Amino acid sequence: MGKIITLDEGTINKIAAGEVVERPASVVKELVENSIDAGASRINVEVKNGGVSFIKVIDNGSGIEEDDVIIAFERHSTSKIKHSDDLSSILSLGFRGEALASIAAVSKVEMVTRTLNKPYGIQIYVQGGNIEYIKQTGAPVGTSVIVKDLFFNTPARFKFLKKDTTEGGYVSDIISRIALSNPGISFKLVSNGATIIHTPGNNDLLSTIVSIYGTDIGKSVIEISYKDDLIRITGYAGGAEISRSNRNYQSLFVNGRYVKSKLVTSAIDEAYRTYLMKNRFAFIVLKIEIDPSAIDVNVHPAKMEVRFSDEQSIYRAVYHAVNNALSRGSKIIEVKTEKETFFKESSPGYVNQDIQAQPGQNLYKYSPDKQSPVVQNRVQKNEDIENESLRNLEAQNSISRDITGAHIIGQLFSTYVLLQKDDYLLIIDQHAAHERIIFEEMKSRFSSNKPMSQTLMVPVVINLTHQEIKTLDENKEFFNRLGFIYEEFGNNSIVIRAVPYGGCDGNEKEMFLELLDIVTSPVKENNNIITDRALYKIACKVAVKANMNLDNKETLEMLKKLSGLGNPYTCPHGRPTIIKISKDELEKMFKRRL
Ligand code: ADP
Ligand code: MG
């Protein structure tokens, strides 16, 4: 006798449920997406025990027609597509027709639904996939679904659930993302009786962000708005001060669907490269709208991955959308007395934000250089310079009103320039500032193809591999445009006769090899990014180092250049160039006021 049998419908549904229903959050996601597809403007979600014992989703959407209620619980039954052709033009969130059947197979589901054209609603109760009853009932227009005892009949799956609080966290995470993608809908999440999320539903993304993440994040974000023939990108990008050490605060939506995409994430990272320190990740809400035929969402439902047909264009568009927003809106880091979480990983020479009162001391030390004497007598004051700086800087019609009109107080530790502007003390890291200035100058000279070389008094010979010589051959124009003039010198060697303007202090060889590494990097990147990287490298080498005395003229020159930049606030590696401390904060530190 044969061993193969056809599985019964109940078993098939239980197996299929594993695909769609992994945990309470996936149930919440499916139910809420159904409410959105039904045109709801208000969706209330209530969970108990992280959703394991109880989930309720109430919407004011279209409701389900009486004749469709039973069918809605069958597998592959959907009102959203009719033919496979429709898959390429999908705009609804659901379309597989699996969710209700899958959820009902592994829990106890009660649904009450009413359409506008009927004076009564329908109540249906399905337990473990079996319809226990269906009847007419009084109900408001819309749908409410209660899901109890998830995985009550599949103990193996139940065992995989995490602690209630963890599951509850997943639920609030998914509601946050869905709310962000639908600012026109008011979402409320109540967990064990407490309201966790409540969004206004006023169609304004910024107020939705504020209602979910709070006002600090709301204040820091910059609007993203980009459009080309293929794509429209909108959203909000956070400044460095609200960056995080993981990607939890990054939400990507493609045509209203919350998705993950390595491609988009890496374009975001690249756009932030000069704004964030290493291992910091931006807060960002990014919405991509694109012709549905240019993407594939018909991938594994739980993975939420999306594929784009034209990856290059998407990458470029995201990079520019985010980068444009950042160069428009970056800010100076403000020092606060209370502990801040940002910029914990300060690098050597970089002024840490921790400025704390030392009990019994009148002075405050600037960490991290604990050994440095707290020198105030080296701070020079010069009235002439003050006045000149005022006149010169005010003449610059740049966005850097923070710098413009500032008084130069002097230089500190031969590393920082101190300025007074209104009620603020501005501290400029001269190396970081210089790096940014050189980087921007080089970038503009590079793009306008202006020569940027400086001839070496003594040419430098470098030995390379055959492969490297070949790479150089292919990239000769690029190296020339960066400022390197060289020729082959036989036996796989080259002789360098000129280097990028500004020189590299006898480190010509090192710099050249580092640039060669960038060009030969196995990671495929677009040309703009390679150029930027090369220019950062050069800027860093050429920039005035910390611990170098600047005279007043040099300081003024640096400030003038800095104030003329689109982004004077961070060095090309993302470290801040300027921080500020308010008079208010100083007074608090000196306990002049509370
Ligand atoms: P899908 O969303 O993929 O179509 P589901 O199993 O989630 O599949 O839902 C099946 C059908 O039930 C939907 O196509 C829709 O017609 C209907 N439905 C489910 N939930 C709701 C709701 N909250 N409001 C109105 N209709 C709903
Ligand atoms: Mg659905």
Side-chain angles (χ1 to χ4, degrees):
M1 197 158 120
K3 289 180 187 153
I4 299 175
I5 54 156
T6 305
L7 295 175
D8 64 83
E9 184 74 10
T11 310
I12 292 171
N13 279 344
K14 273 194 198 171
I15 294 169
E19 296 256 312
V20 184
V21 185
E22 205 187 339
R23 52 178 12 105
S26 30
V27 174
V28 170
K29 173 179 179 282
E30 292 296 337
L31 296 180
V32 169
E33 287 190 344
N34 280 347
S35 300
I36 296 169
D37 284 344
S41 65
R42 233 180 27 249
I43 300 171
N44 290 358
V45 181
E46 193 188 337
V47 294
K48 289 177 189 158
N49 304 105
V52 180
S53 66
F54 182 92
I55 296 168
K56 183 171 173 182
V57 176
I58 305 175
D59 70 49
N60 63 349
S62 63
I64 305 176
E65 296 287 348
E66 185 171 7
D67 292 347
D68 285 341
V69 173
I70 290 180
I71 303 168
F73 279 90
E74 283 166 14
R75 260 185 94 213
H76 304 304
S77 58
T78 176
S79 56
K80 298 164 193 175
I81 54 171
K82 288 205 165 66
H83 307 287
S84 63
D85 291 356
D86 299 340
L87 279 173
S88 60
S89 56
I90 268 185
L91 287 171
S92 62
L93 295 167
F95 58 86
R96 295 166 161 266
E98 279 181 313
L100 285 183
S102 302
I103 295 166
V106 291
S107 67
K108 302 165 186 171
V109 178
E110 183 200 292
M111 178 194 268
V112 176
T113 185
R114 190 194 133 194
T115 54
L116 193 61
N117 59 358
K118 284 273 164 65
Y120 57 87
I122 300 295
Q123 183 175 22
I124 182 169
Y125 183 71
V126 188
Q127 181 169 321
N130 300 316
I131 298 174
E132 302 286 326
Y133 63 81
I134 174 163
K135 61 181 185 197
Q136 294 181 356
T137 181
V141 173
T143 304
S144 82
V145 182
I146 295 175
V147 176
K148 283 189 189 158
D149 302 334
L150 186 62
F151 300 140
F152 79 99
N153 56 351
T154 46
R157 296 200 72 84
F158 184 84
K159 271 203 302 213
F160 276 99
L161 291 176
K162 299 197 176 138
K163 277 192 303 202
D164 288 359
T165 46
T166 311
E167 295 296 344
Y170 292 137
V171 170
S172 71
D173 187 64
I174 198 74
I175 295 289
S176 307
R177 317 278 185 178
I178 295 175
L180 288 171
S181 71
N182 296 278
I185 300 174
S186 169
F187 290 88
K188 187 170 173 185
L189 170 65
V190 174
S191 174
N192 295 334
T195 301
I196 308 278
I197 293 170
H198 196 175
T199 66
N202 61 355
N203 228 340
D204 175 43
L205 179 57
L206 187 56
S207 33
T208 309
I209 289 175
V210 170
S211 69
I212 294 169
Y213 297 108
T215 45
D216 275 0
I217 285 191
K219 270 192 247 163
S220 159
V221 293
I222 307 146
E223 191 171 4
I224 300 168
S225 174
Y226 175 95
K227 195 175 181 319
D228 64 28
D229 296 345
L230 178 79
I231 193 170
R232 200 170 102 90
I233 303 175
T234 53
Y236 284 89
E241 68 278 17
I242 56 164
S243 65
R244 299 291 168 141
S245 54
N246 59 50
R247 291 189 190 281
N248 285 352
Y249 288 69
Q250 304 195 332
S251 306
L252 168 65
F253 304 95
V254 175
N255 292 347
R257 188 186 294 268
Y258 172 58
V259 293
K260 308 234 169 188
S261 158
K262 287 211 174 84
L263 179 85
V264 173
T265 314
S266 59
I268 293 172
D269 285 351
E270 201 52 56
Y272 266 97
R273 186 185 284 276
T274 71
Y275 293 88
L276 288 184
M277 294 174 71
K278 240 182 147 188
N279 298 324
R280 300 298 294 180
F281 300 98
F283 172 96
I284 192 165
V285 178
L286 197 78
K287 299 190 172 191
I288 295 180
E289 282 157 70
I290 187 167
D291 184 336
S293 63
I295 54 170
D296 177 10
V297 288
N298 192 17
V299 282
H300 193 287
K303 281 191 185 148
M304 303 179 296
E305 271 165 19
V306 65
R307 283 195 220 111
F308 299 94
S309 51
D310 183 355
E311 299 200 329
Q312 284 249 343
S313 305
I314 300 290
Y315 186 95
R316 223 174 294 134
V318 171
Y319 173 81
H320 288 299
V322 178
N323 203 260
N324 292 350
L326 294 175
S327 47
R328 248 189 302 116
S330 55
K331 289 190 198 135
I332 295 175
I333 304 292
E334 188 164 348
V335 174
K336 298 234 176 78
T337 33
E338 65 262 32
K339 274 258 179 252
E340 301 277 345
T341 49
F342 44 86
F343 292 118
K344 262 197 200 132
E345 314 101 304
S346 57
S347 55
Y350 156 62
V351 179
N352 197 295
Q353 84 285 359
D354 288 342
I355 298 179
Q356 291 167 340
Q358 312 286 312
Q361 274 190 311
N362 291 329
L363 292 173
Y364 290 84
K365 280 191 181 179
Y366 288 84
S367 57
D369 189 359
K370 297 272 190 290
Q371 264 64 47
S372 293
V374 184
V375 209
Q376 296 308 326
N377 54 8
R378 281 170 67 185
V379 174
Q380 315 135 10
K381 194 164 195 268
N382 184 321
E383 293 294 330
D384 291 341
I385 291 292
E386 263 178 27
N387 294 334
E388 196 191 340
S389 72
L390 247 169
R391 262 180 275 117
N392 279 328
L393 294 175
E394 265 167 4
Q396 308 237 358
N397 187 15
S398 73
I399 66 154
S400 319
R401 269 169 273 116
D402 298 317
I403 306 176
T404 309
H407 294 230
I408 299 173
I409 302 170
Q411 198 190 12
L412 180 69
F413 308 138
S414 307
T415 303
Y416 308 107
V417 172
L418 305 187
L419 305 176
Q420 182 192 332
K421 165 82 204 251
D422 302 328
D423 276 349
Y424 284 97
L425 167 66
L426 303 183
I427 306 174
I428 298 182
D429 177 330
Q430 67 195 41
H431 176 70
H434 214 133
E435 258 181 24
R436 173 56 78 177
I437 292 167
I438 292 172
F439 173 71
E440 296 294 343
E441 278 177 2
M442 288 190 153
K443 205 170 161 170
S444 89
R445 284 157 94 166
F446 186 91
S447 40
S448 57
N449 231 331
K450 287 200 186 128
M452 27 198 298
S453 282
Q454 178 174 316
T455 307
L456 292 174
M457 305 265 277
V458 183
V460 175
V461 176
I462 305 181
N463 293 311
L464 298 167
T465 63
H466 179 65
Q467 188 56 38
E468 284 168 335
I469 293 279
K470 256 179 67 188
T471 310
L472 270 186
D473 251 6
E474 286 158 19
N475 293 282
K476 190 165 176 114
E477 195 206 328
F478 178 69
F479 276 89
N480 288 167
R481 281 179 72 188
L482 287 176
F484 286 99
I485 309 291
Y486 59 88
E487 63 221 40
E488 281 196 40
F489 204 53
N491 281 339
N492 291 337
S493 67
I494 58 161
V495 55
I496 300 183
R497 303 206 179 274
V499 293
Y501 190 77
C504 26
D505 286 348
N507 293 325
E508 294 79 11
K509 190 171 166 180
E510 185 193 329
M511 189 201 273
F512 190 83
L513 291 178
E514 283 182 21
L515 296 176
L516 194 60
D517 283 348
I518 292 177
V519 174
T520 50
S521 152
V523 184
K524 266 228 154 318
E525 280 175 324
N526 89 25
N527 285 342
N528 285 345
I529 293 165
I530 293 176
T531 304
D532 272 6
R533 283 224 184 145
L535 293 174
Y536 306 149
K537 263 269 139 59
I538 299 171
C540 182
K541 294 251 147 74
V542 173
V544 62
K545 295 285 178 279
N547 294 318
M548 187 185 273
N549 274 314
L550 292 181
D551 65 26
N552 288 331
K553 225 176 118 200
E554 288 165 328
T555 304
L556 192 58
E557 192 59 30
M558 184 182 83
L559 293 177
K560 275 205 295 196
K561 285 185 174 166
L562 195 63
S563 69
L565 298 181
N567 170 22
Y569 310 110
T570 58
C571 82
H573 302 98
R575 296 204 317 268
T577 52
I578 309 171
I579 61 172
K580 66 179 182 180
I581 306 172
S582 69
K583 191 176 165 197
D584 220 44
E585 288 299 331
L586 281 175
E587 289 184 346
K588 277 188 208 153
M589 287 190 251
F590 283 110
K591 308 274 184 261
R592 281 164 168 270
R593 60 149 83 190
L594 292 174

mmCIF file of all heavy atoms in Angstrom, residues 35-36 66 75 85 120 185 194 196 207 268 288 310 334 368 422 476 511 522 570 576:
data_model
loop_
_atom_site.group_PDB
_atom_site.id
_atom_site.type_symbol
_atom_site.label_atom_id
_atom_site.label_comp_id
_atom_site.label_asym_id
_atom_site.label_seq_id
_atom_site.Cartn_x
_atom_site.Cartn_y
_atom_site.Cartn_z
ATOM 1 N N SER A 35 -6.996 46.415 8.025
ATOM 2 C CA SER A 35 -7.790 47.614 8.347
ATOM 3 C C SER A 35 -7.410 48.770 7.425
ATOM 4 O O SER A 35 -8.267 49.526 6.971
ATOM 5 C CB SER A 35 -7.553 48.033 9.801
ATOM 6 O OG SER A 35 -7.944 46.992 10.667
ATOM 7 N N ILE A 36 -6.118 48.893 7.161
ATOM 8 C CA ILE A 36 -5.664 49.970 6.268
ATOM 9 C C ILE A 36 -6.215 49.740 4.865
ATOM 10 O O ILE A 36 -6.758 50.650 4.229
ATOM 11 C CB ILE A 36 -4.115 50.032 6.235
ATOM 12 C CG1 ILE A 36 -3.579 50.407 7.618
ATOM 13 C CG2 ILE A 36 -3.634 51.034 5.185
ATOM 14 C CD1 ILE A 36 -2.075 50.239 7.763
ATOM 15 N N GLU A 66 -21.672 40.558 4.062
ATOM 16 C CA GLU A 66 -22.174 39.367 4.751
ATOM 17 C C GLU A 66 -21.775 38.072 4.022
ATOM 18 O O GLU A 66 -21.289 37.124 4.638
ATOM 19 C CB GLU A 66 -23.693 39.463 4.865
ATOM 20 C CG GLU A 66 -24.309 38.334 5.658
ATOM 21 C CD GLU A 66 -25.801 38.570 5.956
ATOM 22 O OE1 GLU A 66 -26.366 39.544 5.419
ATOM 23 O OE2 GLU A 66 -26.363 37.782 6.724
ATOM 24 N N ARG A 75 -8.296 29.860 2.856
ATOM 25 C CA ARG A 75 -6.965 30.180 2.315
ATOM 26 C C ARG A 75 -7.048 30.655 0.885
ATOM 27 O O ARG A 75 -7.895 30.223 0.115
ATOM 28 C CB ARG A 75 -6.065 28.948 2.388
ATOM 29 C CG ARG A 75 -5.144 29.028 3.577
ATOM 30 C CD ARG A 75 -4.200 27.868 3.558
ATOM 31 N NE ARG A 75 -2.962 28.235 2.899
ATOM 32 C CZ ARG A 75 -2.243 27.390 2.181
ATOM 33 N NH1 ARG A 75 -2.655 26.171 1.985
ATOM 34 N NH2 ARG A 75 -1.115 27.785 1.654
ATOM 35 N N ASP A 85 -1.694 38.659 -13.223
ATOM 36 C CA ASP A 85 -1.258 39.930 -13.830
ATOM 37 C C ASP A 85 -1.331 41.077 -12.826
ATOM 38 O O ASP A 85 -0.545 42.017 -12.869
ATOM 39 C CB ASP A 85 -2.154 40.312 -15.021
ATOM 40 C CG ASP A 85 -1.950 39.362 -16.181
ATOM 41 O OD1 ASP A 85 -1.062 38.492 -16.050
ATOM 42 O OD2 ASP A 85 -2.666 39.494 -17.183
ATOM 43 N N TYR A 120 -27.153 45.851 10.073
ATOM 44 C CA TYR A 120 -26.641 44.968 11.122
ATOM 45 C C TYR A 120 -25.245 44.454 10.730
ATOM 46 O O TYR A 120 -24.848 44.529 9.567
ATOM 47 C CB TYR A 120 -27.574 43.776 11.335
ATOM 48 C CG TYR A 120 -27.794 42.974 10.063
ATOM 49 C CD1 TYR A 120 -26.919 41.947 9.718
ATOM 50 C CD2 TYR A 120 -28.850 43.272 9.203
ATOM 51 C CE1 TYR A 120 -27.103 41.239 8.540
ATOM 52 C CE2 TYR A 120 -29.032 42.562 8.030
ATOM 53 C CZ TYR A 120 -28.153 41.547 7.693
ATOM 54 O OH TYR A 120 -28.314 40.853 6.529
ATOM 55 N N ILE A 185 -3.677 58.146 9.187
ATOM 56 C CA ILE A 185 -4.519 57.282 10.013
ATOM 57 C C ILE A 185 -4.105 57.446 11.475
ATOM 58 O O ILE A 185 -2.928 57.484 11.786
ATOM 59 C CB ILE A 185 -4.353 55.801 9.593
ATOM 60 C CG1 ILE A 185 -4.753 55.620 8.126
ATOM 61 C CG2 ILE A 185 -5.170 54.888 10.504
ATOM 62 C CD1 ILE A 185 -4.499 54.231 7.577
ATOM 63 N N ALA A 194 -2.427 50.250 29.375
ATOM 64 C CA ALA A 194 -1.724 51.539 29.244
ATOM 65 C C ALA A 194 -1.581 51.932 27.770
ATOM 66 O O ALA A 194 -1.262 51.074 26.933
ATOM 67 C CB ALA A 194 -0.348 51.433 29.881
ATOM 68 N N ILE A 196 0.281 53.149 24.811
ATOM 69 C CA ILE A 196 1.709 53.156 24.481
ATOM 70 C C ILE A 196 1.964 54.107 23.310
ATOM 71 O O ILE A 196 2.952 54.825 23.277
ATOM 72 C CB ILE A 196 2.172 51.745 24.045
ATOM 73 C CG1 ILE A 196 1.777 50.711 25.056
ATOM 74 C CG2 ILE A 196 3.641 51.715 23.725
ATOM 75 C CD1 ILE A 196 2.696 50.599 26.222
ATOM 76 N N SER A 207 4.471 65.295 12.837
ATOM 77 C CA SER A 207 3.773 65.133 14.122
ATOM 78 C C SER A 207 3.609 63.658 14.482
ATOM 79 O O SER A 207 3.567 63.301 15.662
ATOM 80 C CB SER A 207 2.451 65.883 14.194
ATOM 81 O OG SER A 207 1.811 65.947 12.985
ATOM 82 N N ILE A 268 21.919 54.995 2.450
ATOM 83 C CA ILE A 268 21.728 55.924 3.575
ATOM 84 C C ILE A 268 23.057 56.094 4.319
ATOM 85 O O ILE A 268 23.497 57.202 4.609
ATOM 86 C CB ILE A 268 20.630 55.408 4.538
ATOM 87 C CG1 ILE A 268 19.271 55.427 3.859
ATOM 88 C CG2 ILE A 268 20.604 56.238 5.825
ATOM 89 C CD1 ILE A 268 18.160 54.755 4.640
ATOM 90 N N ILE A 288 9.762 55.709 -0.069
ATOM 91 C CA ILE A 288 10.031 55.646 -1.504
ATOM 92 C C ILE A 288 8.724 55.342 -2.220
ATOM 93 O O ILE A 288 8.006 54.421 -1.846
ATOM 94 C CB ILE A 288 11.061 54.542 -1.805
ATOM 95 C CG1 ILE A 288 12.406 54.908 -1.182
ATOM 96 C CG2 ILE A 288 11.195 54.306 -3.291
ATOM 97 C CD1 ILE A 288 13.497 53.887 -1.410
ATOM 98 N N ASP A 310 15.874 48.292 -10.890
ATOM 99 C CA ASP A 310 17.005 49.131 -11.281
ATOM 100 C C ASP A 310 17.756 49.588 -10.015
ATOM 101 O O ASP A 310 17.560 50.686 -9.516
ATOM 102 C CB ASP A 310 16.496 50.341 -12.067
ATOM 103 C CG ASP A 310 17.630 51.217 -12.572
ATOM 104 O OD1 ASP A 310 18.810 50.932 -12.235
ATOM 105 O OD2 ASP A 310 17.351 52.181 -13.305
ATOM 106 N N GLU A 334 25.251 71.039 20.455
ATOM 107 C CA GLU A 334 25.147 71.909 21.621
ATOM 108 C C GLU A 334 25.509 71.135 22.879
ATOM 109 O O GLU A 334 25.084 70.015 23.080
ATOM 110 C CB GLU A 334 23.728 72.444 21.731
ATOM 111 C CG GLU A 334 23.619 73.501 22.793
ATOM 112 C CD GLU A 334 22.335 74.301 22.646
ATOM 113 O OE1 GLU A 334 21.672 74.185 21.620
ATOM 114 O OE2 GLU A 334 22.019 75.033 23.579
ATOM 115 N N PRO A 368 38.752 64.792 26.546
ATOM 116 C CA PRO A 368 39.334 63.651 27.195
ATOM 117 C C PRO A 368 40.761 63.892 27.693
ATOM 118 O O PRO A 368 41.314 63.033 28.342
ATOM 119 C CB PRO A 368 39.337 62.614 26.082
ATOM 120 C CG PRO A 368 39.557 63.416 24.845
ATOM 121 C CD PRO A 368 38.897 64.730 25.096
ATOM 122 N N ASP A 422 26.692 85.957 20.509
ATOM 123 C CA ASP A 422 25.518 86.195 21.348
ATOM 124 C C ASP A 422 25.741 85.575 22.728
ATOM 125 O O ASP A 422 26.761 85.810 23.330
ATOM 126 C CB ASP A 422 24.241 85.651 20.682
ATOM 127 C CG ASP A 422 24.022 86.287 19.317
ATOM 128 O OD1 ASP A 422 24.411 87.462 19.153
ATOM 129 O OD2 ASP A 422 23.507 85.612 18.408
ATOM 130 N N LYS A 476 44.263 56.697 -14.747
ATOM 131 C CA LYS A 476 45.233 57.794 -14.811
ATOM 132 C C LYS A 476 44.545 59.160 -14.723
ATOM 133 O O LYS A 476 44.967 60.040 -13.966
ATOM 134 C CB LYS A 476 46.036 57.692 -16.107
ATOM 135 C CG LYS A 476 47.217 58.639 -16.119
ATOM 136 C CD LYS A 476 48.220 58.292 -17.210
ATOM 137 C CE LYS A 476 49.303 59.349 -17.193
ATOM 138 N NZ LYS A 476 50.594 58.904 -16.814
ATOM 139 N N MET A 511 50.146 58.356 0.958
ATOM 140 C CA MET A 511 48.868 58.879 0.476
ATOM 141 C C MET A 511 48.499 58.254 -0.867
ATOM 142 O O MET A 511 47.371 57.829 -1.087
ATOM 143 C CB MET A 511 48.931 60.401 0.333
ATOM 144 C CG MET A 511 47.565 60.997 0.041
ATOM 145 S SD MET A 511 47.671 62.609 -0.709
ATOM 146 C CE MET A 511 47.773 63.665 0.669
ATOM 147 N N PRO A 522 37.394 46.067 -3.575
ATOM 148 C CA PRO A 522 36.510 45.108 -4.245
ATOM 149 C C PRO A 522 35.033 45.490 -4.149
ATOM 150 O O PRO A 522 34.210 45.001 -4.898
ATOM 151 C CB PRO A 522 36.769 43.799 -3.499
ATOM 152 C CG PRO A 522 37.352 44.202 -2.178
ATOM 153 C CD PRO A 522 38.023 45.521 -2.369
ATOM 154 N N THR A 570 30.470 69.489 10.395
ATOM 155 C CA THR A 570 31.187 68.248 10.688
ATOM 156 C C THR A 570 32.382 68.136 9.760
ATOM 157 O O THR A 570 32.367 68.677 8.662
ATOM 158 C CB THR A 570 30.311 66.991 10.455
ATOM 159 O OG1 THR A 570 29.865 66.995 9.095
ATOM 160 C CG2 THR A 570 29.138 66.928 11.402
ATOM 161 N N PRO A 576 32.200 66.389 14.803
ATOM 162 C CA PRO A 576 31.765 67.787 14.770
ATOM 163 C C PRO A 576 32.954 68.741 14.642
ATOM 164 O O PRO A 576 34.029 68.460 15.168
ATOM 165 C CB PRO A 576 31.060 67.981 16.106
ATOM 166 C CG PRO A 576 31.461 66.850 16.956
ATOM 167 C CD PRO A 576 31.950 65.734 16.102
#
